[in-house]
Amino acid sequence: MTDVESAFVDAFQTHRRYLGSVAYRLMGSVTDAEDVLQEAWLRWQSVDRAGVQDPRAFLTTVVTRLCYDQLGSARARREAYYGEWLPEPVVAAEDSPAELAELGESVSLAMLAVMEQLTPAERAAFVLHDVFAVGFDEIGATLERTPEAARQLASRARRRVREGSRRRTEVDVTEHRQAVTAFAAAAANGDIQALLAVLDPDVIWHSDGGGVVRAGVRSIAGADKVSRLVAGLIRRADVEFPGGVFEFALVNDEPGLVFRTASGEVAGVLAFAVAEGRIAEAYVVVNPEKLTRVA
């Protein structure tokens, strides 16, 4: 391999984490993001290198186009999905947040779930501009729109995300962890009164079993219903997974929980949106196909 060819390969590796972060936000799936990166790598190897002035910008366009082309079919598959479709979580130990560096800036599971409401074009414009500060000229060229049209897409997406997140407030990591800790203690003991104390009165419980593992087909709303649901799930878990435990972890860079069986197998990942010190929404992923990358 010549020095020029080596530098070309190195350019892709240099931007790989950033590109993975873009793809994950656009697809909501680590698996799909990895597939996109593989295809981007193949295209990068065959591109006319003399025509590439800015590898990062060029690769951003390639990855975005690949994701954009797949989002339509992905959305159709998710609409036909058994039960509620939730994004694939990214989990790291609480004492090693650097493990999430490959994703760049944090993106919560709750935010990814809200972004599922966006059209592919809105999602691309929102992610590129609001998360990665890509200019509208570049976004417009990538989406084959005018810069003004790209600006309008991002504005519309921003408004829809804000509306979808209206029950979620910004809390510091300490307050977030305190709410998760209280929930874990109450859930482990099956204590309905303690659960009612930590759950927002209008809490919403989302779960994704993918038809593989038993989970609610629709979301459950209200502290009374959710507290009784959680208590029932804990009783069932005690029978199905004797010796199973909750472990604290960073789920998409926010305090969350991993449920492990006595043998160490991951049986579920829980992420939370917290408002005013209480759990406002819970996102529970138990589909084993989405847990394969949880260490």
Side-chain angles (χ1 to χ4, degrees), residues 89-108:
V90 176
V91 179
E94 282 196 303
D95 59 355
S96 55
E99 292 178 25
L100 285 181
E102 194 161 335
L103 292 180
E105 296 299 320
S106 63
V107 53
S108 70

Side-chain angles (χ1 to χ4, degrees), residues 21-212:
S21 181
V22 172
Y24 176 66
R25 283 166 172 76
L26 288 173
M27 301 303 299
S29 164
V30 177
T31 302
D32 290 345
E34 289 178 348
D35 289 344
V36 165
L37 287 189
Q38 180 62 27
E39 179 62 27
W41 165 242
L42 294 175
R43 296 194 181 192
W44 180 244
Q45 289 181 301
S46 61
V47 75
D48 178 8
R49 303 170 187 188
V52 178
Q53 301 299 319
D54 185 341
R56 180 183 172 103
F58 178 88
L59 287 166
T60 300
T61 297
V62 170
V63 166
T64 302
R65 284 299 313 179
L66 288 170
C67 291
Y68 181 74
D69 291 342
Q70 292 184 28
L71 277 172
S73 58
R75 193 172 187 178
R77 290 196 305 272
R78 292 166 189 178
E79 288 176 352
Y81 190 80
Y82 183 86
E84 191 170 5
W85 187 94
L86 293 179
E88 184 178 348
V90 176
V91 179
E94 282 196 303
D95 59 355
S96 55
E99 292 178 25
L100 285 181
E102 194 161 335
L103 292 180
E105 296 299 320
S106 63
V107 53
S108 70
L109 212 65
M111 176 61 74
L112 285 174
V114 169
M115 286 166 58
E116 286 297 310
Q117 303 169 15
L118 305 179
T119 67
E122 288 172 344
R123 186 163 183 162
F126 175 77
V127 167
L128 291 178
H129 183 266
D130 286 42
V131 179
F132 296 104
V134 177
F136 288 118
D137 287 346
E138 186 176 336
I139 295 172
T142 299
L143 300 180
E144 299 179 345
R145 312 284 180 98
T146 65
E148 182 55 34
R151 185 187 301 276
Q152 291 175 1
L153 283 169
S155 176
R156 188 160 60 242
R158 196 177 303 119
R159 183 171 60 254
R160 294 180 68 182
V161 167
R162 187 165 54 246
E163 290 172 353
S165 306
R166 61 184 179 276
R167 297 183 65 249
R168 175 184 172 85
T169 59
E170 292 297 326
V171 297
D172 62 37
V173 67
T174 300
E175 182 178 349
H176 194 120
R177 196 186 191 288
Q178 287 173 343
V180 174
T181 300
F183 172 87
N189 295 320
D191 188 335
I192 290 181
Q193 292 306 311
L195 283 167
L196 288 171
V198 73
L199 296 174
D200 183 274
D202 298 317
V203 62
I204 301 177
W205 180 273
H206 308 268
S207 57
D208 178 348
V212 181

